[in-house]
């Protein structure tokens, strides 16, 4: 709240997390959430030896803790463990590819390259071909038009496939 406001949080509440501010009618008007709440990431790299728990579990013959929810139940959501400190998320987050926010609709070609494979395309019902998944496309010019100079940076065309996927 602004400094001059008569509505201020009690100093004992300043370090609380997960709370809501309610209107007088009892309906929530603001809720404190993590800055990455509802964000969708690709955790593929976290399923390997980068995550120390995977190595430890594998050495004991136990399932991979990152992959097992999907492998066993088809469940693709990961919940940040309560026993990990939050700085762990900030330390490793840059290794996860950000896809978008839950509920967003994005163009298939805007997915990270590793996610534009045939299996993902089939899962979303998107047709793929070289033009839809490449970073550039050859375009033939009109008679008398000056040719493209491939040495000029950024002089390629990116096709618009029109295929959108829900994140």
């Amino acid at each position: 709240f602004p400094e001059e406001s008569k509505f201020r949080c009690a100093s004992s509440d300043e370090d609380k997390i997960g709370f809501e501010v309610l209107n007088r009618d009892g309906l929530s008007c603001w809720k404190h959430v993590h800055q990455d709440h509802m964000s969708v990431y690709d955790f593929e790299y976290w399923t390997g030896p980068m995550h120390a728990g995977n190595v430890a579990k594998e050495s004991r013959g136990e399932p991979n803790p990152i992959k097992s929810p999907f492998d066993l139940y088809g469940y693709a959501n990961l919940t940040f463990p309560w026993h990990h400190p939050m700085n762990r998320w900030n330390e490793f987050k840059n290794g996860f590819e950000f896809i978008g926010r839950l509920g967003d609709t994005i163009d298939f070609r805007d997915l990270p390259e590793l996610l534009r494979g045939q299996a993902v395309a089939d899962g979303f019902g998107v047709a793929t071909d070289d033009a839809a998944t490449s970073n550039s496309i050859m375009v033939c010019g009109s008679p008398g038009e000056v040719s493209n100079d491939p040495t000029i940076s950024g002089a390629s065309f990116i096709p618009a496939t029109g295929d959108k996927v829900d994140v």
Side-chain angles (χ1 to χ4, degrees):
F1 292 110
E3 190 64 36
E4 62 274 6
S5 173
K6 65 179 181 176
F7 301 104
R8 300 192 38 81
C9 293
S11 60
S12 61
D13 289 337
E14 290 178 359
D15 62 347
K16 292 186 177 173
I17 59 172
F19 62 90
E20 294 182 56
V21 175
L22 303 177
N23 290 332
R24 288 179 192 244
D25 60 8
L27 299 176
S28 176
C29 69
W30 184 84
K31 183 174 184 175
H32 179 266
V33 296
H34 189 272
Q35 71 253 16
D36 291 317
H37 182 67
M38 304 291 284
S39 294
V40 177
Y41 290 91
D42 176 16
F43 277 79
E44 180 68 26
Y45 109 106
W46 203 234
T47 64
M50 194 62 192
H51 184 281
N54 298 339
V55 177
K57 295 260 184 179
E58 182 180 27
S59 71
R60 295 191 302 261
E62 297 175 25
N64 180 308
I66 305 300
K67 290 176 70 175
S68 63
F70 183 79
D71 291 344
L72 298 174
Y73 312 109
Y75 188 71
N77 292 337
L78 286 177
T79 302
F80 191 79
W82 62 267
H83 57 277
H84 287 330
M86 279 310 300
N87 66 345
R88 185 177 167 95
W89 170 252
N90 294 328
E91 180 181 347
F92 292 105
K93 162 181 157 172
N94 289 336
F96 309 130
E97 186 81 37
F98 178 75
I99 308 301
R101 303 250 316 145
L102 186 65
D104 284 353
T105 299
I106 60 172
D107 195 305
F108 183 77
R109 70 186 174 128
D110 291 335
L111 288 172
E113 186 175 348
L114 290 173
L115 293 179
R116 289 187 306 224
Q118 192 62 50
V120 174
D122 291 346
F124 284 113
V126 174
T128 62
D129 57 27
D130 290 342
T133 58
S134 71
N135 289 329
S136 61
I137 187 168
M138 183 180 292
V139 177
C140 298
S142 302
E145 183 177 347
V146 177
S147 64
N148 291 331
D149 182 351
T151 64
I152 298 174
S153 176
S156 61
F157 293 93
I158 298 175
T161 67
D163 290 324
K164 305 280 187 196
V165 296
D166 291 327
V167 176

